Amino acid sequence: MKLDTLELLGHSSESVLGSNDRLELLLTTAHILVIDDEPMNLTLITGMLHFAGYRSVTTLRDARELEGRLQSGHPDLVILDLHMPHRDGFDVITALQPWIVAEHLPVLVVSGDISADARRRALALGARDFLTKPFDLTEMTLRVRNQLETRLLYQDVRKQNRALRETVHGRTVELEETRIEMLERLAMAAEYRDDNTSRHTERVGAVSAHLAAALGLHPDEARLIRRASALHDVGKIGIPDALLRKPSRLTDDEMAVMRTHTTIGASILGGSHALLLQLAEVIAISHHERWDGMGYPRKTAGADTPLVGRIVAVADAFDAVTNDRPYRRALSLRDGIGEMAAHRGTQFDASVVDALLRINSTLDHHTI
């Protein structure tokens, strides 16, 4: 069985999110494929998965048989060794890329290769996570569940997109609201992986709305920006946990992967007729652009970057420096304001930084 069976059963992750029923459905419907040339490893991993309650687990010792196995059905998660005879894990990830891209198929690499090059290469090819051998069984179980939860949420969003294309005009507004709610939950899931408090998006939305008001935008526009900006990092759902929670600064290769969250987010949010999601798409693709043109992904400069993107860029960076991150401690609000002012006119739009200085006294991350 596959996770799509949830739809046939009349269930969605929305209706059972956080419930025991949802976990039971996940355990009974998710299909996991384990690829490793070592029988002992296959026995260990499948035993751990069965002990955790997963009913549908299949194994493959010879990776050359992958395509034939896929003809009988696609898995919901692939657990993959890297170094195997005849066909290595890198080639397997490459072969799986059509499903990784089109179906958000998660690949969890489990390898004895601890080299940084192996990790970078696997993640760059499309693996969602990387675990080194010997591994902790509890950690393995949690990572497997996290990848399946993410895939389930992603499939719900795809289902909403499909329903939107097929529905009559009279139901468009209702379905868009449902899609917005699913995207907001997807954004919360992505944020929880990067911020244990899951309040980063909430704070960025509040500061963005204050900035919009200070810049003279209509209150309705400020409220819309507050809600849309909460989706700015939804693309991080496609970034491996190993990068999101890395306790040190990212390498250049890892940063290149991390930066794809902007285009992933815009892709997830795109194609909507709802003004909120259209605005959220613009924010997702533009909130890491810089005033001097040295940002990403499009390297737009000055006013070529939409105002909402420039607003959220300041709000996002301000929240980042004034809250703890895995690789550094938070600055005080006063020092955070100073940090923003130091990049006025280079990284950030001077008018937006000036607006931040004007609302300085109203900012309190405990009450936003």
Side-chain angles (χ1 to χ4, degrees):
M1 297 179 77
K2 285 175 54 60
L3 291 179
D4 292 336
T5 309
L6 292 173
E7 185 174 351
L8 298 177
L9 295 173
H11 295 281
S12 71
S13 68
E14 175 188 12
S15 64
V16 290
L17 186 63
S19 69
N20 291 331
D21 288 341
R22 181 179 187 278
L23 175 59
E24 180 63 22
L25 285 170
L26 192 67
L27 294 173
T28 56
T29 61
H31 175 54
I32 302 173
L33 174 62
V34 185
I35 305 176
D36 197 310
D37 64 300
E38 292 290 340
M40 184 177 298
N41 290 337
L42 292 175
T43 299
L44 176 63
I45 294 174
T46 55
M48 178 273 298
L49 293 171
H50 286 142
F51 182 77
Y54 293 99
R55 317 297 203 267
S56 179
V57 181
T58 57
T59 61
L60 187 64
R61 284 189 60 190
D62 189 343
R64 293 174 297 180
E65 300 174 4
L66 173 67
E67 284 75 10
R69 183 66 62 86
L70 292 176
Q71 290 179 2
S72 61
H74 299 161
D76 294 297
L77 171 67
V78 175
I79 299 176
L80 175 68
D81 186 24
L82 281 185
H83 300 298
M84 300 177 289
H86 310 304
R87 188 181 198 181
D88 64 23
F90 300 113
D91 189 60
V92 171
I93 299 173
T94 300
L96 289 171
Q97 281 183 349
W99 292 275
I100 292 173
V101 174
E103 298 184 9
H104 202 74
L105 172 65
V107 176
L108 170 59
V109 172
V110 181
S111 174
D113 190 339
I114 63 173
S115 67
D117 181 68
R119 180 185 295 268
R120 284 195 298 266
R121 186 179 174 192
L123 294 175
L125 284 173
R128 295 298 180 193
D129 206 350
F130 194 107
L131 193 61
T132 56
K133 300 174 184 175
F135 52 83
D136 179 80
L137 295 181
T138 300
E139 182 180 6
M140 163 74 91
T141 303
L142 290 173
R143 294 199 186 200
V144 166
R145 181 173 177 181
N146 181 63
Q147 292 299 332
L148 290 173
E149 293 257 9
T150 299
R151 176 166 165 79
L152 185 55
L153 285 168
Y154 183 83
Q155 288 183 332
D156 273 332
V157 172
R158 288 186 63 197
K159 185 174 69 175
Q160 293 298 332
N161 288 341
R162 184 169 63 250
L164 279 172
R165 289 192 296 268
E166 296 171 352
T167 191
V168 295
H169 178 73
R171 292 206 55 202
T172 297
V173 173
E174 177 186 350
L175 288 174
E176 283 287 6
E177 281 300 318
T178 302
R179 184 187 177 207
I180 289 168
E181 182 179 354
M182 290 306 308
L183 286 168
E184 288 174 335
R185 294 190 180 197
L186 190 64
M188 288 177 62
E191 185 57 34
Y192 189 76
R193 297 168 63 218
D194 191 32
D195 172 16
N196 286 333
T197 68
S198 68
R199 290 201 62 208
H200 169 70
T201 55
E202 180 184 350
R203 295 189 300 260
V204 170
V207 174
S208 296
H210 286 309
L211 289 172
L215 289 167
L217 274 65
H218 191 276
D220 288 342
E221 292 178 302
R223 283 191 290 270
L224 189 65
I225 289 172
R226 179 170 190 153
R227 192 175 178 191
S229 62
L231 300 172
H232 72 283
D233 275 342
V234 69
K236 285 186 177 178
I237 203 72
I239 304 300
D241 285 348
L243 300 191
L244 291 175
R245 293 187 174 275
K246 185 177 179 181
S248 58
R249 290 193 177 275
L250 301 181
T251 65
D252 290 344
D253 289 340
E254 290 169 338
M255 182 57 74
V257 174
M258 180 67 78
R259 287 177 173 176
T260 63
H261 82 272
T262 55
T263 51
I264 293 173
S267 177
I268 291 173
L269 295 164
S272 174
H273 297 291
L275 180 59
L276 173 64
L277 295 185
Q278 290 174 356
L279 186 63
E281 179 186 2
V282 171
I283 291 171
I285 198 69
S286 64
H287 72 283
H288 280 294
E289 300 293 355
R290 292 172 51 116
W291 185 256
D292 59 13
M294 300 300 292
Y296 63 88
R298 295 174 173 173
K299 296 188 178 298
T300 56
D304 288 340
T305 301
L307 177 59
V308 288
R310 287 178 271 148
I311 288 173
V312 176
V314 170
D316 186 34
F318 177 68
D319 186 75
V321 300
T322 54
N323 285 276
D324 290 336
R325 304 297 295 164
Y327 53 85
R328 58 153 174 76
R329 300 292 296 172
L331 298 178
S332 66
L333 291 180
R334 178 179 178 181
D335 289 342
I337 292 287
E339 181 71 12
M340 295 297 101
H343 296 282
R344 178 184 181 276
T346 52
Q347 182 175 352
F348 306 116
D349 181 345
S351 66
V352 180
V353 174
D354 290 344
L356 181 68
L357 296 175
R358 291 197 299 274
I359 66 173
N360 171 19
S361 61
T362 69
L363 297 178
D364 180 352
H365 279 211
H366 295 292
T367 58
I368 284 176

